[in-house]
Amino acid sequence: MNEIRKIVHLSFSPETSGKPVVCNIIKLYDLCFNILKAHITPREVGEMILEINGLEKAVSDAMDYLKEHGVKITPVGQKIRKDEASCMHCGVCTALCRPRALSVDRATWKVTFDPEKCVACGLCVKVCPVKAMETQLENGTI
Ligand code: SF4
Ligand code: SF4
């Protein structure tokens, strides 16, 4: 069974923000975790960006557990967007993108974006000369 790393954006409703659901998944599914960002106040809307490491099945079960308990989960890469109309495929961003979410397609020499690999570091947003990379994250980065 594969060990995987996943970074997710969690949204908590006022009903779920006071519950220890994140502690529960760590214990129940034997996961390692790192809270990259959190803004949680009991009985208010909250958010957290969580890095999880564990066996693929355990991570998947943990995501199901969170959903069943009313937590909205978004892969963090979906908070980063590439505007294809603006991108001029200069390749500057690919040199900085460590997880290779941005890479050059050798067949077409176009720069492609894979949100599944993106860890939302925000570096591409800062360096893109034509502002083709956009972020919906507060402060632009995790
Ligand atoms: S730096 Fe901007 S313009 Fe250049 S390839 Fe990346 S997204 Fe496209
Ligand atoms: S935010 Fe970071 S990881 Fe995501 S595409 Fe940009 S440079 Fe790569």
Side-chain angles (χ1 to χ4, degrees):
M1 180 74 77
N2 281 347
E3 185 129 342
I4 62 164
R5 169 176 180 252
K6 199 173 179 89
I7 301 179
V8 287
H9 179 273
L10 307 179
S11 299
F12 298 85
S13 66
E15 294 74 35
T16 55
S17 60
K19 295 182 183 165
V21 285
V22 171
C23 290
N24 289 348
I25 60 164
I26 303 310
K27 283 189 278 184
L28 285 170
Y29 302 105
D30 194 23
L31 304 172
C32 296
F33 75 105
N34 188 14
I35 296 174
L36 303 174
K37 180 180 173 183
H39 180 79
I40 307 275
T41 308
R43 292 181 294 285
E44 289 181 17
V45 171
E47 68 167 345
M48 179 184 290
I49 295 178
L50 188 66
E51 177 184 356
I52 307 169
N53 292 274
L55 293 176
E56 192 169 5
K57 169 86 168 63
V59 172
S60 171
D61 289 347
M63 295 299 102
D64 289 343
Y65 177 94
L66 290 175
K67 282 183 214 158
E68 282 162 17
H69 287 79
V71 180
K72 186 175 171 217
I73 304 168
T74 312
V76 79
Q78 288 183 14
K79 298 280 178 186
I80 302 285
R81 191 179 154 270
K82 181 168 179 276
D83 179 6
E84 295 299 337
S86 304
C87 176
M88 54 186 190
H89 303 280
C90 67
V92 169
C93 56
T94 62
L96 294 165
C97 183
R98 292 184 64 191
R100 298 191 53 78
L102 287 158
S103 61
V104 178
D105 180 337
R106 298 284 172 193
T108 61
W109 294 102
K110 302 266 186 195
V111 171
T112 60
F113 174 52
D114 181 352
E116 291 298 318
K117 292 183 182 168
C118 175
V119 297
C121 67
L123 287 176
C124 57
V125 178
K126 288 184 188 151
V127 299
C128 179
V130 293
K131 310 246 178 284
M133 299 304 296
E134 299 164 359
T135 174
Q136 297 170 353
L137 291 166
E138 200 182 325
N139 301 326
T141 181
I142 55 174

